[in-house]
Amino acid sequence: MRPMEEEARSDIVFFDLETTVPTRPGQKHAILEFGAIRVCPWKLVELESYSTLVRPSDLSLIPSLSVRSNGITRDAVSSAPSFGEIADQVYGILHGRIWAGHNILRFDCVRIREAFAEIGRPPPEPKGTIDSLALLTQKFGRRAGNMKMASLASYFELGQQSHRSLDDVRMNLEVVKHCATVLFLESSLPDLLTPNRLVSPNVNTSILGQVLGDASSSSSSSTASSSFFANRRMEENHPVYSLMTATTEDVVDPAAPTRKANPDVFNMNALGHEMQAEPDHPDTALEVENLMCQAPISDAQQPPTPEGSIGSAGYLEPEEVSISSISASLVPFFRGTRRIRLLHHGAVFQLCCRGLRVKYGVSKSKYPDYAGRPRFTFVVDVHPTVCQILDACNGIAHKLSVESGSSSMWKPIVIRKNEFSGCPNVRLQIPTINGDSPRYETEIYKKEISGAVEKLVFSQCSADELNSLISPGTFVDAYFSLDPYDYQQNAGIRVMAKKLFVHST
């Protein structure tokens, strides 16, 4: 490809599809409208646009009497070209360029591939992708509500979403510009422009309950400025290129360099990988963590454990816990911020629970920790006594979180789907440590029926390796800490396994 053609293919194409809604099992979406704008990546100005209605092969998919909310009727598309007739134009617009849109990875990209497959042609391939739904959920949070385009447009007072392709892609671009500006301002003055202070006055009270109250993740002015403007000729540092993935098939590389403990809000390369679709957990309703961990507390920050503390090396058995003695306090954390710590009789609260039955095996979390290290989780059933203790910890920590000014969305530590689903559950996390090679921070032992214990050594960090040991129905003895977190509009308590004794079957 000649230099001029390569430069042209560096443009960004925001696009959107309007489709039919399947009404029976096995029925596919039919494209009714395609709209796209080509945007200069350096100035974010519109270079050209294209939109057309599309006639589906089966007009009966569109109700003849009712008008769709976006105004597309059977009469409107009956004289429109079929997808096969516009395929050359769509291919020319999309192929080899950067694709951008709201929820395109899970919807629009899939529909484009299906449409080209139906006419027996290879689909266009992107140079990279920017999915603003995943990107803004991670970086902007839920301060605008449910992160649908209509909610974001209302938050920034951009008008109502029309649900017509060309109008929606232009609105999408404006939303991205507004979000980027707010994030840039917050990173420049993190002590003054916290998300709590920037909540739009027209946001309703239900949305206010989801707004982040912690500005600790914002970078300093110099960090954001240098990341945003330095090396403009380098694609990896471009303020727009840094948002995209290399291809839609990229996955997280465990061997990739770790991220800084306080990531630049404009350095979104790693997030691009997180936007890719991943296999869901067997029960996605139990996914109680969906953002990165906060940095762990250093040993220097830990309060001294009083002499004579009960339990196994500082870990309390459930019967040793006095709920009235559980408390929470705010301790120094990062750049002048504070975080919550749970205590029992003034000592760091750590718990030992024996005979926990594994309900769901080990899976790799979609989001690594603050340093880019992988995290693994599994779900266990918990006894009523343990539930009572954890519920008490949850209530105490949540109360202090609200009193300290946070309005982040709080996730309960105990997972209860409904009263008929059996035992309540808790998700245990197995963190990892980076060194010459990644290893589990959790000490894992095999416990034989005879009582003999063997410490296990692993050759790698992988969910498959752990699942061969910690599978559904297995029983474990878990020694864990309770670590409250508040990050990116999400707060709660993570259960971090320090030691695991896996019973032989």
Side-chain angles (χ1 to χ4, degrees):
M1 186 177 290
R2 294 191 298 270
M4 289 296 291
E5 293 175 343
E6 176 65 32
E7 182 177 353
R9 289 290 158 181
S10 295
D11 295 341
I12 302 171
V13 176
F14 280 79
F15 74 98
D16 179 69
L17 303 175
E18 295 298 329
T19 70
T20 59
V21 178
T23 57
R24 61 179 183 269
Q27 189 180 70
K28 292 185 177 181
H29 297 78
I31 296 176
L32 298 177
E33 188 174 39
F34 173 87
I37 58 172
R38 185 165 63 90
V39 176
C40 170
W42 301 107
K43 298 180 181 180
L44 298 183
V45 295
E46 182 176 328
L47 300 176
E48 64 176 344
S49 65
Y50 172 80
S51 69
T52 180
L53 291 172
V54 181
R55 185 182 73 253
S57 57
D58 184 0
L59 287 175
S60 67
L61 295 174
I62 307 174
S64 58
L65 299 178
S66 62
V67 177
R68 291 166 52 90
S69 61
N70 54 14
I72 300 176
T73 64
R74 183 185 299 181
D75 290 341
V77 299
S78 60
S79 58
S82 67
F83 186 83
E85 293 173 303
I86 65 166
D88 285 340
Q89 290 168 289
V90 173
Y91 190 95
I93 291 169
L94 295 178
H95 185 66
R97 287 195 167 100
I98 301 165
W99 297 3
H102 207 65
N103 197 32
I104 59 170
L105 286 176
R106 296 201 176 196
F107 188 81
D108 302 81
C109 294
V110 178
R111 304 288 87 78
I112 287 291
R113 291 180 181 277
E114 289 175 349
F116 274 89
E118 287 177 2
I119 61 173
R121 291 185 49 173
E125 297 294 342
K127 183 177 181 180
T129 55
I130 303 172
D131 191 321
S132 57
L133 174 61
L135 179 71
L136 298 182
T137 298
Q138 173 74 3
K139 293 298 177 181
F140 197 70
R142 295 188 180 89
R143 68 184 83 177
N146 58 19
M147 301 307 291
K148 292 182 179 180
M149 184 54 60
S151 300
L152 289 161
S154 176
Y155 180 85
F156 289 113
E157 301 182 7
L158 296 175
Q160 292 188 341
Q161 183 182 7
S162 68
H163 292 285
R164 295 300 298 266
S165 293
L166 199 56
D167 291 340
D168 285 0
V169 292
R170 289 190 173 121
M171 177 172 281
N172 194 178
L173 177 58
E174 289 304 309
V175 164
V176 169
K177 289 179 181 178
H178 279 70
C179 289
T181 301
V182 170
L183 290 172
F184 178 72
L185 293 175
E186 288 178 5
S187 67
S188 300
L189 295 171
D191 295 331
L192 298 178
L193 300 180
T194 66
N196 256 353
R197 296 187 176 96
L198 292 175
V199 175
S200 172
N202 64 351
V203 179
N204 62 42
T205 54
S206 64
I207 294 175
L208 285 174
Q210 303 173 9
V211 178
L212 172 67
D214 178 14
S216 63
S217 62
S218 296
S219 303
S220 66
S221 174
S222 59
T223 302
S225 299
S226 61
S227 174
F228 189 63
F229 293 111
N231 265 337
R232 287 190 54 152
R233 287 174 293 182
M234 300 291 291
E235 284 193 357
E236 60 269 26
N237 289 331
H238 188 283
V240 172
Y241 286 146
S242 65
L243 310 185
M244 73 177 185
T245 68
T247 69
T248 54
E249 284 76 28
D250 283 351
V251 295
V252 177
D253 180 6
T258 58
R259 283 177 281 177
K260 297 179 181 179
N262 187 39
D264 183 351
V265 293
F266 286 98
N267 183 11
M268 301 180 186
N269 290 296
L271 177 64
H273 298 298
E274 294 165 13
M275 294 192 294
Q276 307 308 320
E278 296 184 29
D280 289 332
H281 190 277
D283 187 352
T284 54
L286 294 175
E287 183 62 47
V288 295
E289 81 284 354
N290 55 9
L291 291 171
M292 296 181 297
C293 283
Q294 290 184 327
I297 303 173
S298 67
D299 292 338
Q301 293 173 309
Q302 295 281 4
T305 301
E307 293 185 8
S309 61
I310 56 180
S312 303
Y315 294 88
L316 301 177
E317 302 279 354
E319 60 269 17
E320 297 173 324
V321 176
S322 168
I323 290 180
S324 62
S325 299
I326 299 174
S327 62
S329 65
L330 292 170
V331 296
F333 181 48
F334 182 73
R335 289 190 176 181
T337 62
R338 297 183 296 172
R339 66 172 298 177
I340 297 172
R341 180 178 298 157
L342 285 164
L343 307 170
H344 185 269
H345 283 301
V348 175
F349 187 29
Q350 300 182 110
L351 198 58
C352 167
C353 295
R354 305 180 191 276
L356 298 174
R357 181 182 179 275
V358 176
K359 182 167 186 177
Y360 295 115
V362 178
S363 62
K364 185 177 180 181
S365 175
K366 293 180 181 180
Y367 302 99
D369 72 3
Y370 75 103
R373 297 180 295 241
R375 292 185 295 127
F376 301 91
T377 68
F378 65 100
V379 176
V380 297
D381 295 330
V382 285
H383 309 302
T385 301
V386 178
C387 283
Q388 188 178 13
I389 294 170
L390 297 180
D391 286 339
C393 292
N394 185 81
I396 292 168
H398 187 196
K399 181 174 182 293
L400 181 56
S401 174
V402 173
E403 291 175 349
S404 64
S406 173
S407 52
S408 297
M409 180 183 295
W410 187 271
K411 296 180 179 293
I413 187 172
V414 178
I415 307 165
R416 294 180 174 90
K417 294 182 65 177
N418 59 63
E419 59 181 320
F420 304 107
S421 62
C423 291
N425 312 121
V426 167
R427 184 178 295 276
L428 296 181
Q429 299 203 19
I430 301 176
T432 57
I433 297 175
N434 279 339
D436 295 334
S437 61
R439 62 182 177 86
Y440 302 118
E441 183 177 354
T442 305
E443 296 179 15
I444 304 177
Y445 300 83
K446 186 68 176 291
K447 186 176 182 179
E448 302 294 341
I449 297 176
S450 64
V453 173
E454 175 191 2
K455 185 173 183 179
L456 301 179
V457 178
F458 297 89
S459 59
Q460 58 181 335
C461 290
S462 74
D464 290 340
E465 183 180 52
L466 289 173
N467 256 321
S468 64
L469 178 71
I470 307 172
S471 57
T474 305
F475 287 87
V476 299
D477 300 337
Y479 293 73
F480 54 85
S481 63
L482 302 173
D483 297 338
Y485 68 94
D486 190 333
Y487 188 78
Q488 296 279 34
Q489 286 78 55
N490 286 266
I493 299 174
R494 288 193 172 95
V495 182
M496 309 296 287
K498 302 299 184 181
K499 295 182 181 180
L500 287 174
F501 293 82
V502 184
H503 295 209
S504 295
T505 55

